Amino acid sequence: MASSETIEPAAGVDGPTWVYDFADGSRGMRALLGGKGANVAEMTRLLGTGRIPAGFTITTSACVAFLGERPHAYPEGLSRQVDAAVARLEEAAGHRLGDPRDPLLVSVRSGAPESMPGMMDTVLNLGLGDRSVEGLAERTGNARFAWDSYRRLLQMYANVVHGVSGERLEAQIADVKRDCGAALDTDLDVAALRELARRFKALYREHTGEEFPQDPRVQLDGAIRAVFESWEGERAVHYRRIHGMPDDIGTAVNVQQMVFGNKGETSGSGVAFSRDEMTGAPEPSGDFLLNAQGEDVVSGMRNTQDLADLVRIMPAVHDELIGALRTLERHYGDMQDVEFTIEEGRLFLLQTRTAKRHAQAAVRFAVDAVAEGLLDRERALLTVDPSTLDALLHQTIDPAFGGAPIATGVAASPGAAKGAVVFTAHAAVEAAARGEAVVLMRPFTEADDVAGFHAARGIVTSEGGKASHAALVARGMGRPCVAGVASLDIDVEAGEVRLKATGEVIARAGDLIALDGSSGAIMTADVPLVDPPQNACFDTVLGWADELRRLGVRANADTAADAARARSFGAEGVGLCRTEHMFLEADRQPGMRALILAESDEQRAAAVARLLPVQQADFEALFDAMAGLPVTVRLLDPPLHEFLPGLTELEMQVERERAAGDAGLADTERLLERVKALHESNPMLGTRGSRLGILHPGIYEMQARAIFRAARTLRERGAEPPQVEVMLPLIAYEREIELMRALVERVADEEAFDRSELSIGTMIELPRACVIAEQIAGHADFFSFGTNDLTQTTIGFSRDDAEKALLGAYLDAEVFDRSPFETLDTPGVGRLVELGCEGGRRARPGLKLGICGEHGGDPDSIAFFHAAGLDYVSCSPFRVPVARVAAAQAVARELVAAEPSAASSAAGSAPIAAVSAAPSSAPSA
Amino acid sequence: MASSETIEPAAGVDGPTWVYDFADGSRGMRALLGGKGANVAEMTRLLGTGRIPAGFTITTSACVAFLGERPHAYPEGLSRQVDAAVARLEEAAGHRLGDPRDPLLVSVRSGAPESMPGMMDTVLNLGLGDRSVEGLAERTGNARFAWDSYRRLLQMYANVVHGVSGERLEAQIADVKRDCGAALDTDLDVAALRELARRFKALYREHTGEEFPQDPRVQLDGAIRAVFESWEGERAVHYRRIHGMPDDIGTAVNVQQMVFGNKGETSGSGVAFSRDEMTGAPEPSGDFLLNAQGEDVVSGMRNTQDLADLVRIMPAVHDELIGALRTLERHYGDMQDVEFTIEEGRLFLLQTRTAKRHAQAAVRFAVDAVAEGLLDRERALLTVDPSTLDALLHQTIDPAFGGAPIATGVAASPGAAKGAVVFTAHAAVEAAARGEAVVLMRPFTEADDVAGFHAARGIVTSEGGKASHAALVARGMGRPCVAGVASLDIDVEAGEVRLKATGEVIARAGDLIALDGSSGAIMTADVPLVDPPQNACFDTVLGWADELRRLGVRANADTAADAARARSFGAEGVGLCRTEHMFLEADRQPGMRALILAESDEQRAAAVARLLPVQQADFEALFDAMAGLPVTVRLLDPPLHEFLPGLTELEMQVERERAAGDAGLADTERLLERVKALHESNPMLGTRGSRLGILHPGIYEMQARAIFRAARTLRERGAEPPQVEVMLPLIAYEREIELMRALVERVADEEAFDRSELSIGTMIELPRACVIAEQIAGHADFFSFGTNDLTQTTIGFSRDDAEKALLGAYLDAEVFDRSPFETLDTPGVGRLVELGCEGGRRARPGLKLGICGEHGGDPDSIAFFHAAGLDYVSCSPFRVPVARVAAAQAVARELVAAEPSAASSAAGSAPIAAVSAAPSSAPSA
C-alpha cells in the first residue's frame, strides 16, 4: 500500500499523521483537531501534561479519508497510529488498556471544528470487560463503583455505537429496580448492577447478532467508527446546510484517560469560575463535593461545598486550582468556567469554557479586565453578551426570594411586575386611573388592547410567543410580559384564571398575580421586587460602545413618554413613530371612525377638524421630548377597518337588534355595510400605507399638517424642534412616492414650513421596493427598512398566523433555528435588504439608510445591518442599550480581525488577545 | 451668432437642419422626425407629393434645443427655416398663409418617436383670422363652413395652446345653442357661429390678457411652442417614467396643409381597409360620404356609402385609392386602414395605419400574405394579435343580431352564453343535472361556487374585475363570464336582479339571460348563438407557430374534461393541476372535512381511506387524457379552513342553536372551535402549501399515493400513463422541499413507483424562493413560477382586496397602466423571476423552468418568459392557442431583429420586410 501513501504530499514515511497526542496540539489546530481536541491540547500546553488527563486526537482528515472509502474504512496507517498512541497513553497513565487487574479506562468523544447537533454522544469507561471489571473492583476496593462503571459502558456503547434504543435500555433499569425494590439508580447494589450488565449484554447480542466485544481495542475501533459515521447523520447534515457549513470538513475523535473523583475522601469533583459569575467580583467562586463524580455536583442531589472550603481541606490542590483559573482566564482573555476532578489528591482539569454570567458580572468583568490590562476595550466589549443587558434596566424579583412559579410561559418582555388581575384593557385603564397596580391577563391581545398595556404593570397571555402582538407591544413599551402560558386557561367571560390540567382556579379579577418577563414565571405570591441599581460599570461599557460604533441608534417611540425614556437610554432620535397608535387611544377613536364613515365632504372636513388638534398635540409632546434630534413620523399605516368594530361582532349585533326590533338597527346596518366594504381577506396585503394616502388623501394631509404645525408651535414657544422626517409607508411603485411626496410638500408649503428643513423618505418593506430601490430613491431622502413586514412578504408568513402553530413546528422540523421575526433571515430577507441598499445608493450616494423593524434590537441582526452599510438602527426603547453595545461589537470584530494580536487602547501591561470564543467544552468524567 | 452655429458639427452654413419637408423624410428618420412625421414622409415618398397634403416636420432636435434654453426659446436658425418651409408649402399648395381672399390653412400636431399620452392635441384650421374667414367664405361659397372652421380654430387654440378649460368653452356653445334654439352643433347657423367666434375671442382675451393673434405666423409659433412644452407636461413625464423611456428625446412638430371633403359633391371623406377587416378576404372595403369631413364619417350621424359605390361615382379616384391601398399594404407588409379626403375631385390620403381586424381576418391575412409572397412566415405571424384569438374558439352572438345590452360589465372571459338565471352553485348543479342551460349570477364568487361554474353555461357578477375569482376560474374553464356589472343589483336573497338606477327587476330565477364575455354585454333577449367555424387558416397559423416557438405550452387543468379540451387546443401537457378543486366538489367535501376535523389517528386514517380512492379516480381520468405527456400535479395548496364553513356563519349558528336549545349545539360548537383554531388573519400568508404538508403529512401522503396508484392502474390496464411531475407548493426554505421531497419519494417507494420516472419540483411563488433559488434547486427537478402569488407577495397586493378599489384607483393615478395580475410586472416581479432562473440554473444547469400563473396566457408576459429562458408556459386551456402564437412571435421578433430585411421561408417573389409597427397615425382634416 506504499503507493497510496505517496499521494499525500506532506506525509512522512508512515503516511499522513492521523493522530496527535494532546501534548502535541494547540488552539491553532482547530481545523485538524476539532474544537474539543484543540482546546484540550491548549490546556495541556498551558498547564502541563500532569494536570490534564492524557489522551490523543484522531484528526478530521482521518474522518474525511474514512468517509471517502467505499465501503467506509480506516485510511492506510490510521490503525497503526492509533496503536502507537494507545501505547503512549498507557505509558503516561501507568495502566494498560484491558489489563485484567488494573485496566486503563478511556472516554471517546466527537469534536468537529464547529460544534453541531447530531454528532455522536460520549462513550465513557471504554476498556472494561467481564474480567477487568473484577480487577477494577479489587484494585479500588469498590465493587459497586466498578460494576456501575461497566453497566454504564454497556449502556452507552449499545446506544451510541449500535443504536439500541435508549428507551429499551432504560426499561431494563426500571425492571431491575422494581425487582430489587430500589427507588433510585443509586440504590442499586452490586448484585443488581451485575444483573443489569447481563441484561444489557443480552440486549446487545439480540440487536447486533454478536457478543459485546471484550477486547478494548475492538471497543475503541467501534467507537471511533461511530464518531466518523455520525458526521453524515441526518441532523448534522441539516444543521450544516442551515448554517451554510461545508460537508467536507469531518470531525475529529478524542480519546482520553478517565479519572475518578469517587475514589474516597482524597478524591472529589467540582466546578469553578475564575470570577464571581453573578457580580463579577474578581475572586474565583465555585462548588465541589468530596468522593463524588462530576455528575453528582451538577445533579444537585447532594449539598455541595463552597470552593472556599477547599483551602482548608486540600490547600495545595486549592492553590493549584486558583492558579490554573488565573492562567486560563489570562490566556483566553475571558472569564472561565472549569470542571475539575481530584483523584486521590491529584488535580485534573477536565474542561474550561467561557463562563456564562449575569449581565452585572459581564459589565464588571469588562471594566475590570481593561483596568487590569487584561484586555483592550474592543476585546473587553466583545466579552459582553448584549442580549442579557435588558436585565440591568428593569425591576427584578429579589434574588433572595425562593418561591416556585405556578406556571411558566414564554419570557416575552423582560422585567418583573405584580398587581391585581384585570381581564380587559378597559378595566386596566379604569384601575390605573384609580392608582391601582394591575396585571392584564388575556388569551391573546389585539390592537384594541394597547391602551391597557399603558395602564398595566405587566401583561400575561395564554397564547402566542415572542413575536405575538402582546410581546411586541410590551417590549416596545418596556412592560414586562409573559406570553403563551399554555398551562393556564384565561377565561375572560368567567373572570377567572384556571390551571388547564386540574381546572383549579388560581386567580379571579382583583387577585394578586406576579410575573417575571425575564424567566417566564407566573406567581401568585406577593413577590418582593427590586429596582435596577445605578450601574457605573454599565455606563462605562456604554460609553466605550458609543465611541466605537458606526451605526446610529434610534428608538421606536409613539408617545412622548416612550421618547423621553428612549432618550434617557441613549437613543439618538426616533426612527419610527407609528401614528396609528395615537388613534387607538380612547379619546381619538370616535374621531377616526367619523372620518372613515363620513359620507360627504362636510362630514369628512368636520372629522378632520376634530382630529387635527389632537394629532398636533401628540406631535408637540413627542417633538419636545426629542428636541434637536431626528424624529421619523410614519403616516398612517394600517387598513382602516382596524379602527372599526369587527365584522362578525357587527353581524351578530344586527341579527340581535333585528330580532329585538331595536331602534338603532338602521345605524348598525349602515356601519355593517361600511365594515363589509372595507373588509379585506388579507389585510396585510390590502389597502394600507401609502395606498390609503392615495385613496383617501385627507388623512395624510391632516397628519402632515399636524406635524408642521407642531414643529412651528414649538419654535414659536422658543423650544427647539426636532429634525422632522416624514415617512411614507408601504411604497411599492415609484409613482406612489412621487404622489405622496408631492402631497406632503404641498402641505409643508401651505403651512410655511421650510422645505430645506424637511426630510421625506419611505419605509422599504415590500420585496418590490427592494428590487426597484433605485427608482424609489429618486424621490426619497431616506430609506427605513421595515423588516417586520418585509419578512412577512418575502417569506409569505403572516406573523400572527405563523405564531399560532407554524413557527414552533418549523423550529422542530429544523426548517430554521430561530424565528425570522426575531433574528433577520439573512439569506432571504437580508439579501433583499442588500439589494435595496445597493439600488438606493446607486441612485443617491448619500441616501440615509435605517431599519425600524423588531430586528433593530437584535444583536445578530445588528451585525448584519452594520455590514450592509446602514446608517442607523431603530428599536424599542429598552433595546437601545443592547443595540449600542451590539453596534460597537460589529466594529470591534472588524478591528480585531484586522489586527488579531494588537492591543489598541488598554493601559498597563500588554493585554492578551483572545477574541475567538474560548473553548466551549472538553472532557469530563 | 456665428459662434453658436459652429458648435453643431453636422451643421451647414445655416446651422443644423431643424425642418424637413415631408418629401425629404422617410420611415427611417423616426428618431429625428417622430413617428407621425416619418410616416407621413414615407407615404409621400411612396405615393408622390400630390396624394398627401403637403407639409413639413420640425425635428425632435429642435424641441430638445428649445427646452435647453433658459427661458425656453427657439434655437438659432429655426425661425428662419420655418419661414422657408412655409414659403415652400405655400408654393406647393398654391395659397398663402393669411391671404385674406384665399388663405392656406394648416394643422399643427405633435409627433414623438414613440406615442405617449399628454402630448399636445391637434390644432386645425390654423391660418384663419377675422379677415381671411370672410375670404374663405367667399371663395368656397360656404359661409357656414368658413365660420365653423374659424370657431373651431379659436376653440382649439384657446384650449390647447393657452389652457383655457374645455368646459368653459363648451359652456359657450351650450349658451349659444340655447339662445338660438339649436339642438345640435350642426344646427348652428352662420350668425350663431359668428357669435360663438366673438365669445371665444373674448374668453381668449380674458384668459391671456391679449387679443387672439390675427397673424398666422404668430399663431403658428404659438402652436409650435405649445407642442414643445407639452413634452415636459406632467402626464408625458409620468408615462415616460413608467415605460422607462428617456427624457432627452423630444417631440417633433408636424405642420400640414388642410384639405376639405365638404366642398361640394365632388368632395368627400372616408375610411378604407386594404382587405376586409372582418373576414380577411383580399378585397379592399370601407365607407365614405360625399360632401363631408372625416368626423362625419366616424360619428355615424349620416348613413355612409360602401366603398364599392365609389367606382360608380368617381371611378378614377376609386382606382387611385385601391392602388394606393395595395402600395401601402405591400410597403408596410400588413393590412392598412386609411383615412382619405377627396377635395374637388382630388384624392388625398391623410393617414395610414395597421388595420385593427377581427381574429378571423388576422389569420386569413397571415396565410394569404405568405401565399402571395408578401411576407415570410415569421413576419406573417407577427401581424396576428394573439390576444384576439380566443374569439375563434368560443360560441359568439350571431353578428346579424342587433339587440342592445341592458347592462355592461367587464369582459372577463370570452364567448357568449345564455340560459336560465340561477343564484347559487347548488341550484346550478341541480338544474344542470336536469339538463337545463343556466347562467350563474352572483354578487361575487368564492371557492365554494366552483362546482356551479362547471354546471353553468356562463357566469355574471356585479363585483370584481378581470382578475376576480369569477374571472380567473371562468377563464380557466373556458366559461364565458361578465364580471363587475356595477349597474346591476344581484339580490340572491330576494332571488331577483335589479337595475340599480331604477330598481326595475330585469330577471328572476329561471328567467332567460344572455351574456357576451368578449364584449361585457348582458341581454335579456333570446340571442342567437353561433358556433365557431372550422378554421383552416387558424390551423395553418398555429402550425407555423409550433414550428417556430422555443417555449413549450402546457395547460392549467384540474379535470379530465379540461385536460382533454386543452389537448385539443394543442397543449403539450398539464403544467398545473390544482388538486384542491377536486375536494371542493360536493361528494368530496365531507371527506375532506372529516380529515381536517379528525381528533384521533383512527379518525384520520378513516378519512384518508375515504378520500384516497376518490382522489385516485380523479388522477386516473386526468392522466388518461394526457397519456404520454407531462402532468404536473400540485399537492394541496389552500389553507384548510377553506374546506370548512365560515367563522361568522358558524358563530351565528351557535348563537341561534343556543337560543333554541338545539341538540346539535355541542357539535356546532366543536366545529366552531376547530374553525377558530384554523382561522387566519392573512390566509394568503398562512398555513398553506407545503406548510400543510409539514404540519399534516397525512394529506400529502394520501395525494402522492393516489398519484402513484393512478399511474400504476393505467399501466396495468395497458394504457399509457403520463410523465408524472409532483409539484410542492409555497416553498420558501430549502429544508421544506427536502422534507416534502423525502415524503413523496418514500410514498413512491412504498407504491413501487419507479423513481427514475418521477419528477419532483416546486412552485416558485415567494420572493424568498427566488432569492435562494440556488439552494432550492438542489432538491428540485423543475421550477414552476407561480406568478399570481409571487405578484401578491412581491407587491404586497392581495388580489381579492386590490380588486375592490385599489387597482382602479391605481390605474387612474397612473401608478401602472396595466394590472400586474394581467401582465407581469417585469421590473419588480419579473426581476425576481430572473433571479430565480439564474439561481436555479446555477445549481442545476438543466433545471426545467416553467410558469403556471395567469400570466402564462398573456402575450406580453410570454415574451418576457421567452427572454428569461423558461422552458414552457402553462395557461388555461382556452389560452393555449394564444400562447402558442405569442411564443412563436417571441422567436420571430428575434429572427427579424437579427435579419431585418431577409426573407427566411416565404415562397414566390421576394416578400417585403415590415415588422416594426406600421404608422399609427397621420393627419386628418
Side-chain angles (χ1 to χ4, degrees), chain A residues 517-588:
Chain A
S518 309
S519 71
I522 305 293
M523 280 152 291
T524 47
D526 188 2
V527 300
L529 299 182
V530 293
D531 274 336
Q534 270 296 91
N535 196 317
C537 291
F538 190 21
D539 292 344
T540 303
V541 166
L542 287 171
W544 297 345
D546 290 345
E547 283 176 29
L548 199 56
R549 66 189 160 89
R550 186 185 56 66
L551 277 174
V553 176
R554 301 194 193 177
N556 300 347
D558 307 338
T559 65
D562 284 351
R565 175 159 45 209
R567 197 163 190 167
S568 79
F569 289 155
E572 298 159 317
V574 166
L576 174 62
C577 164
R578 284 160 296 219
T579 51
E580 54 269 24
H581 287 172
M582 298 173 173
F583 296 120
L584 289 166
E585 307 252 325
D587 56 331
R588 320 292 165 81

Side-chain angles (χ1 to χ4, degrees), chain B residues 671-914:
Chain B
L671 183 59
L672 175 61
E673 273 310 298
R674 190 76 182 123
V675 169
K676 268 189 184 167
L678 289 173
H679 180 75
E680 296 184 317
S681 51
N682 292 285
M684 177 58 55
L685 306 176
T687 301
R688 42 175 290 244
S690 292
R691 298 167 190 175
L692 285 177
I694 290 172
L695 287 183
H696 310 285
I699 299 175
Y700 275 21
E701 275 184 36
M702 180 275 286
Q703 293 199 296
R705 208 172 298 284
I707 290 168
F708 299 132
R709 289 190 182 176
R712 194 176 55 197
T713 305
L714 249 63
R715 206 185 296 275
E716 285 165 4
R717 262 198 239 135
E720 187 187 11
Q723 300 158 35
V724 172
E725 302 185 335
V726 177
M727 182 151 73
L728 301 162
L730 209 76
I731 293 289
Y733 287 90
E734 183 181 6
R735 178 81 169 128
E736 292 172 321
I737 185 168
E738 186 186 38
L739 286 170
M740 290 299 97
R741 185 182 181 103
L743 178 148
V744 174
E745 286 181 339
R746 175 172 57 74
V747 176
D749 291 348
E750 287 167 9
E751 298 295 330
F753 187 92
D754 183 355
R755 277 223 214 154
S756 71
E757 293 184 6
L758 172 61
S759 181
I760 302 175
T762 176
M763 293 230 356
I764 299 287
E765 50 186 334
L766 292 169
R768 190 178 201 276
C770 296
V771 172
I772 65 142
E774 191 168 351
Q775 281 73 52
I776 292 175
H779 309 270
D781 302 318
F782 63 87
F783 280 179
S784 180
F785 288 92
T787 51
N788 294 355
D789 280 7
L790 188 59
T791 297
Q792 300 196 74
T793 46
T794 300
I795 310 183
F797 269 169
S798 162
R799 192 169 55 199
D800 297 338
D801 300 330
E803 278 281 306
K804 273 178 140 177
L806 204 59
L807 284 185
Y810 267 39
L811 289 166
D812 290 347
E814 292 176 345
V815 174
F816 39 63
D817 61 359
R818 271 193 286 185
S819 160
F821 297 111
E822 272 179 45
T823 296
L824 193 79
D825 160 42
T826 51
V829 180
R831 183 70 197 117
L832 286 171
V833 168
E834 288 170 344
L835 285 178
C837 292
E838 290 159 19
R841 288 257 166 89
R842 205 155 46 231
R844 198 178 272 218
L847 185 70
K848 206 194 307 184
L849 299 174
I851 174 266
C852 60
E854 278 288 301
H855 304 100
D858 171 68
D860 286 347
S861 309
I862 290 169
F864 174 85
F865 297 132
H866 172 87
L870 264 56
D871 294 305
Y872 68 87
V873 298
S874 186
C875 54
S876 61
F878 279 91
R879 302 296 288 178
V880 165
V882 174
R884 288 159 71 191
V885 171
Q889 289 183 335
V891 178
R893 268 189 293 272
E894 287 174 355
L895 290 174
V896 166
E899 275 193 281
S901 59
S904 62
S905 70
S909 65
I912 289 174

Side-chain angles (χ1 to χ4, degrees), chain A residues 240-586:
Chain A
R240 291 199 293 273
R241 190 164 300 150
I242 291 178
H243 293 84
M245 292 162 59
D247 279 331
D248 57 356
I249 290 175
T251 178
V253 185
N254 300 293
V255 180
Q256 188 173 28
Q257 178 193 1
M258 299 284 304
V259 293
F260 298 96
N262 53 349
K263 285 191 174 173
E265 290 307 309
T266 58
S267 298
S269 294
V271 295
F273 291 86
S274 61
R275 309 199 181 206
D276 190 291
E277 82 277 20
M278 287 306 292
T279 67
E283 294 75 37
S285 67
D287 303 295
F288 72 100
L289 277 173
L290 289 182
N291 196 17
Q293 285 187 287
E295 60 199 69
D296 302 324
V297 179
V298 290
S299 75
M301 306 232 307
R302 288 164 58 186
N303 284 332
T304 56
Q305 288 186 276
D306 194 278
L307 190 62
D309 296 342
L310 192 61
V311 74
R312 193 173 37 74
I313 304 167
M314 293 188 238
V317 168
H318 176 267
D319 291 353
E320 207 179 324
L321 177 60
I322 299 299
L325 282 168
R326 293 214 190 285
T327 304
L328 289 169
E329 183 183 278
R330 192 146 199 91
H331 182 67
Y332 287 112
D334 203 349
M335 268 176 70
Q336 295 296 300
D337 162 2
V338 158
E339 285 183 28
F340 63 91
T341 286
I342 307 165
E343 191 183 61
E344 295 173 334
R346 185 169 164 202
L347 175 70
F348 290 98
L349 296 185
L350 305 173
Q351 166 171 301
T352 186
R353 57 183 176 190
T354 304
K356 290 240 183 296
R357 69 206 83 169
H358 189 269
Q360 172 52 44
V363 293
R364 165 106 190 240
F365 172 76
V367 171
D368 286 355
V370 171
E372 293 166 16
L374 179 62
L375 294 176
D376 58 28
R377 283 187 184 178
E378 289 74 25
R379 288 175 172 84
L381 258 174
L382 287 170
T383 66
V384 177
D385 176 358
S387 65
T388 64
L389 295 175
D390 252 9
L392 298 178
L393 305 173
H394 291 280
Q395 281 205 318
T396 53
I397 294 176
D398 188 337
F401 177 78
I406 54 155
T408 306
V410 176
S413 177
K418 61 182 178 181
V421 170
V422 291
F423 290 107
T424 65
H426 186 75
V429 170
E430 283 189 345
R434 292 190 301 269
E436 293 171 21
V438 293
V439 170
L440 177 63
M441 299 189 78
R442 293 196 60 78
F444 55 89
T445 65
E446 296 174 300
D448 278 352
D449 300 318
V450 170
F453 281 61
H454 279 292
R457 297 288 172 94
I459 294 92
V460 176
T461 69
S462 54
E463 297 174 19
K466 276 211 169 175
S468 63
H469 176 266
L472 293 178
V473 176
R475 278 206 294 282
M477 292 184 189
R479 286 286 178 287
C481 173
V482 176
V485 191
S487 62
L488 292 185
D489 202 347
I490 299 176
D491 187 338
V492 173
E493 281 188 41
E496 54 188 37
V497 179
R498 295 181 298 270
L499 288 176
K500 264 188 196 156
T502 62
E504 180 198 348
V505 174
I506 60 150
R508 293 200 167 77
D511 289 355
L512 185 78
I513 201 115
L515 62 138
D516 182 350
S518 309
S519 71
I522 305 293
M523 280 152 291
T524 47
D526 188 2
V527 300
L529 299 182
V530 293
D531 274 336
Q534 270 296 91
N535 196 317
C537 291
F538 190 21
D539 292 344
T540 303
V541 166
L542 287 171
W544 297 345
D546 290 345
E547 283 176 29
L548 199 56
R549 66 189 160 89
R550 186 185 56 66
L551 277 174
V553 176
R554 301 194 193 177
N556 300 347
D558 307 338
T559 65
D562 284 351
R565 175 159 45 209
R567 197 163 190 167
S568 79
F569 289 155
E572 298 159 317
V574 166
L576 174 62
C577 164
R578 284 160 296 219
T579 51
E580 54 269 24
H581 287 172
M582 298 173 173
F583 296 120
L584 289 166
E585 307 252 325

Side-chain angles (χ1 to χ4, degrees), chain A residues 74-98:
Chain A
Y74 275 7
E76 172 67 24
L78 175 55
S79 192
R80 217 161 46 239
Q81 293 185 28
V82 170
D83 285 342
V86 168
R88 290 193 299 275
L89 179 56
E90 289 174 335
E91 175 112 358
H95 316 272
R96 259 191 331 102
L97 207 56

Side-chain angles (χ1 to χ4, degrees), chain A residues 594-595 598-610:
Chain A
L595 182 58
E599 285 172 354
S600 67
D601 286 347
E602 292 72 41
Q603 287 179 356
R604 233 178 307 274
V608 165
R610 185 168 161 189

